[in-house]
Amino acid sequence: MERALLPRLCRALRLCRAGLRFRSTRGAEQGAPRSRDPPASLPQSPEAGRGSRTGRELRRAQQDKGKGPGRKALTLERTKGSEILFGLAPCGLALARARRALFRLFVKEQRGGSGRPLRAELALQAAARGVPVLHVPGRALDALCWGRPHQGVCLEAAPLPFRSLRDAEEPRPGDGDSGRRQLLWLVLEHIQDPMNLGALLRAAYFLGVDRVVATHSNSCPLTPVVSKASAGAMEVFDVYSTDDLQGFLKAKSAEGWEVVGTVSRPEDVEDVPVVSCSEFQWDKPLIVVIGSEGEGLSLETRLQCQRMLAIPPGRALHPGIDSLNVSVAAGIILHSVCSQKRRHGD
C-alpha cells in the first residue's frame, strides 16, 4: 500500500512546486512598474509657446525618456503650412530680413560649445522681433529638419515664394543708378536640384548679379534646403519667376538686352555663335541663361540667344567626364563675365 501511495505523493509535490513558481512570476509581473512615455509636444500657436513653461515641460519629457531603453521620439507640432529653416546663416538672415512670417525659433539646449554665442545672439534677435524662442533637446532639432546639419538652431517660418516679374519694378538701362553700370541678370531654366539652386543663388549674389529669374514650372521651389545650400543668400536676394521664358527673353532682346546661353559641348550647337567665356566681351545689359542639369537649354530657349558661352577644358577629357556640375559651370562663367563688368563698368 505504501508503494502505491508513493507515486501519488511525488505528483502532488511537483504540482505544488509548479503552482508556487506560477504565483511568484505572476506577482513579479503585476508588481513591475509600467512604462509611461507619452510624446511631448509643443503647442501649434506661437502664443502658446511663449514663456519658459513649455521649455520646462520639454526638459522633463526628455529626462523621462532617457530613463527607458524603449523611448519614443520627441514630437514637435508645427504651425499649419509652415516649414523649418535650419542652420545659423539661413535662420539668422531670415530673422534679420523678416521677408516671411516667422513663428518660432528652436535653439539647442547646451551649456557650452563653440556655437553657443551665435545661438544666443539669434535668440535675442528673435525675442526683439517678438518671435518665441524655445530651448529643446538636440534630437528634437534633428527630427524637425530630418537629420540635416542644423548647427543647433531651427526656425519655423512661412514658405518664401518666387517673386512675380509682373509685380516687379523693371529697371531699364539709363534709369537711375543702372545708367552708371552694366546690368547683369541670371536666368535659370528648369533647375530641379535644390543643392544646385542654392549654390547658383550663392554664386550669383557673391559675384554681383543684379537679378535672378527662374522658370516657374518644372523647377525646384525655394525650400529650406535651397536656403541652406545658398548659405542664406536666398533670404536676402530676390528670386523672380516667369511662366513664359521664351516670351520674356524675346521682350528683353527688343529692349536692347543681349541674351547669351551656355553650352557644355560647342559641337552640339548650330546656327548660334559659340564663344569661350574667357574671350566674351559685352557692352550692354546682359542676360545669361543656364539650362537644366540633365538636358541643358531647351531648343526653344537656345533660339532666343544671340551667342552661346562655353568653358574651355584644361585637358583632353575622358568620355563620360566631359562636363561640369551646373552650379560650378555657372560660377566660372559668371566670374568671367563679372570680371569684365568690374573692369569696364562702375
Side-chain angles (χ1 to χ4, degrees):
M1 185 173 177
E2 290 178 356
R3 292 180 179 178
L5 290 174
L6 186 58
R8 296 180 181 177
L9 290 173
C10 291
R11 284 196 298 271
L13 286 172
R14 284 197 296 271
L15 289 173
C16 289
R17 290 174 181 171
L20 287 172
R21 284 197 300 269
F22 173 75
R23 286 192 294 272
S24 176
T25 304
R26 185 176 180 184
E29 292 176 350
Q30 290 176 343
R34 296 182 179 180
S35 174
R36 295 182 179 180
D37 195 18
S41 56
L42 293 175
Q44 278 194 314
S45 63
E47 291 78 8
R50 296 184 185 274
S52 60
R53 179 172 176 268
T54 303
R56 290 197 301 269
E57 290 173 350
L58 278 172
R59 284 192 289 272
R60 285 198 298 269
Q62 173 69 3
Q63 292 170 358
D64 292 341
K65 291 175 186 301
K67 296 178 181 179
R71 60 192 184 190
K72 298 180 181 179
L74 188 64
T75 302
L76 299 176
E77 295 181 5
R78 285 168 41 187
T79 304
K80 185 177 180 181
S82 69
E83 64 183 19
I84 299 296
L85 294 173
F86 55 94
L88 289 169
C91 294
L93 290 170
L95 281 168
R97 294 301 297 269
R99 297 168 61 205
R100 54 168 100 198
L102 307 174
F103 301 129
R104 289 174 295 178
L105 179 70
F106 301 96
V107 180
K108 181 180 179 181
E109 292 177 335
Q110 188 175 348
R111 295 182 179 179
S114 58
R116 188 183 179 190
L118 294 175
R119 293 194 292 269
E121 184 178 343
L122 287 185
L124 290 175
Q125 190 176 352
R129 289 192 174 276
V131 178
V133 179
L134 301 178
H135 296 269
V136 300
R139 65 188 185 90
L141 296 176
D142 295 337
L144 278 172
C145 64
W146 298 89
R148 297 185 178 98
H150 50 70
Q151 300 172 290
V153 61
C154 289
L155 177 64
E156 184 184 16
L160 187 64
F162 288 109
R163 293 193 62 181
S164 173
L165 282 173
R166 292 188 295 270
D167 302 331
E169 183 178 345
E170 294 287 337
R172 295 180 179 274
D175 291 349
D177 292 339
S178 64
R180 296 194 294 271
R181 59 186 177 87
Q182 294 169 285
L183 288 174
L184 172 62
W185 289 9
L186 176 66
V187 171
L188 308 174
E189 183 181 35
H190 305 324
I191 299 297
Q192 297 180 336
D193 189 317
M195 299 298 291
N196 281 335
L197 180 55
L200 284 162
L201 295 179
R202 184 175 186 177
Y205 179 77
F206 182 86
L207 293 171
V209 172
D210 296 291
R211 179 173 293 182
V212 175
V213 180
T215 53
H216 189 271
S217 62
N218 202 23
S219 294
C220 175
L222 299 177
T223 66
V225 176
V226 175
S227 185
K228 176 66 174 176
S230 74
M234 189 186 91
E235 305 299 326
V236 302
F237 198 29
D238 287 331
V239 185
Y240 295 81
S241 70
T242 177
D243 294 319
D244 181 11
L245 178 57
Q246 287 75 42
F248 164 72
L249 296 177
K250 186 175 181 179
K252 300 308 289 184
S253 295
E255 293 175 10
W257 293 62
E258 182 175 6
V259 178
V260 298
T262 53
V263 61
S264 59
R265 288 181 288 272
E267 62 273 13
D268 295 342
V269 179
E270 298 179 0
D271 302 326
V272 181
V274 179
V275 183
S276 168
C277 64
S278 59
E279 300 174 357
F280 174 73
Q281 296 181 2
W282 55 296
D283 57 1
K284 57 183 177 180
L286 181 69
I287 291 177
V288 177
V289 190
I290 303 291
S292 66
E293 293 91 343
E295 303 297 329
L297 291 179
S298 65
L299 177 60
E300 295 80 6
T301 298
R302 193 181 302 174
L303 292 175
Q304 299 297 326
C305 300
Q306 285 92 44
R307 288 187 280 180
M308 303 292 289
L309 300 181
I311 302 172
R315 59 154 36 100
L317 301 176
H318 191 282
I321 319 177
D322 56 354
S323 64
L324 291 168
N325 169 271
V326 64
S327 62
V328 173
I332 294 172
I333 289 174
L334 289 175
H335 180 266
S336 179
V337 170
C338 291
S339 296
Q340 286 195 36
K341 178 180 178 180
R342 287 192 291 272
R343 287 196 299 267
H344 305 300
D346 294 338

